[in-house]
Amino acid sequence: MLDEEAQHSLLGADLVVATVVLVMLIVVSIVAERRRVPASAALLVFGGALGAALRLSGLDAELDLTKVVLFNEELFLYALLPPVIFDAGFSLQKRPFLKQLGTILLFAVGGTLATTFAIGGILYAVGAAGAFTEDGGAADALDFRTPLDAYLFGALISATDPVATLSIMGSVGAEPQVYALVFGESVLNDAVAIV
């Protein structure tokens, strides 16, 4: 067991590493935007390279970032998520959205349900055949041999989120009707998947 001074020292080092990584993420996104590269793609490549570098150097075992970077579900659901959703709703042009509401509902409800049942059915069939079991017969964390797990996973994975598509459509000045179709479908299919 480490004494209190050593624990503070390790926590300080972890905080420095987390701060440096956050600053580097901001710099990478700014540089990517200036070079007209999607920031999400640049950050994905940067994160993969950083993770590989930490893994290959062995530093990932020494750093314990779980003390610094914690995920609190309640903070996310009640404080961080509502402003994002409300901003999306306020920024939506209502006339094209309401004009295309029938098509949006068809894509959102019909498409999400069809995808949920297709993915769930395939996973259930493959799971019932024993494809997701280990050699000893033990099932993985999700037991796709049961329809409940298969269709729950199907519902989870069926709600696509076209953030990159919407940002590119916004930057190139796509037609408001097309933007409203894609944006409306993405907002409503999340609600359908949750229900």
Side-chain angles (χ1 to χ4, degrees):
M1 188 73 181
L2 296 172
D3 63 342
E4 191 172 325
E5 186 176 327
Q7 286 179 347
H8 285 292
S9 155
L10 285 176
L11 183 60
D14 293 344
L15 277 171
V16 167
V17 169
T19 304
V20 167
V21 168
L22 287 174
V23 169
M24 289 170 65
L25 288 173
I26 293 169
V27 168
V28 166
S29 66
I30 290 171
V31 169
E33 288 295 323
R34 286 188 180 162
R35 294 180 184 245
R36 301 211 184 266
V37 174
S40 56
L43 291 174
L44 187 66
V45 170
F46 174 75
L50 181 64
L54 286 174
R55 177 64 54 102
L56 292 174
S57 69
L59 286 175
D60 62 333
E62 292 179 30
L63 298 173
D64 187 16
L65 295 178
T66 57
K67 294 177 183 169
V68 179
V69 182
L70 298 175
F71 183 77
N72 185 341
E73 300 90 13
E74 290 188 12
L75 173 70
F76 178 75
L77 287 175
Y78 298 127
L80 299 177
L81 192 58
V84 172
I85 293 172
F86 289 138
D87 178 58
F90 286 131
S91 67
L92 176 68
Q93 295 179 2
K94 285 144 189 72
R95 183 166 285 142
F97 177 77
L98 293 174
K99 196 174 185 182
Q100 301 290 334
L101 188 60
T103 309
I104 290 170
L105 286 173
L106 177 68
F107 286 150
V109 176
T112 303
L113 287 176
T115 306
T116 296
F117 287 112
I119 291 173
I122 291 169
L123 284 175
Y124 178 59
V126 173
F132 296 113
T133 56
E134 295 178 10
D135 293 334
D140 288 335
L142 288 174
D143 187 7
F144 292 129
R145 295 176 295 183
T146 64
L148 178 65
D149 283 351
Y151 287 106
L152 280 175
F153 186 77
L156 171 76
I157 207 72
S158 67
T160 58
D161 195 18
V163 172
T165 304
L166 290 171
S167 69
I168 290 171
M169 287 174 69
S171 67
V172 299
E175 289 287 326
Q177 291 178 340
V178 175
Y179 187 85
L181 278 172
V182 174
F183 181 78
E185 190 274 337
S186 74
V187 169
L188 295 181
N189 78 4
D190 290 343
V192 170
I194 290 170
V195 170

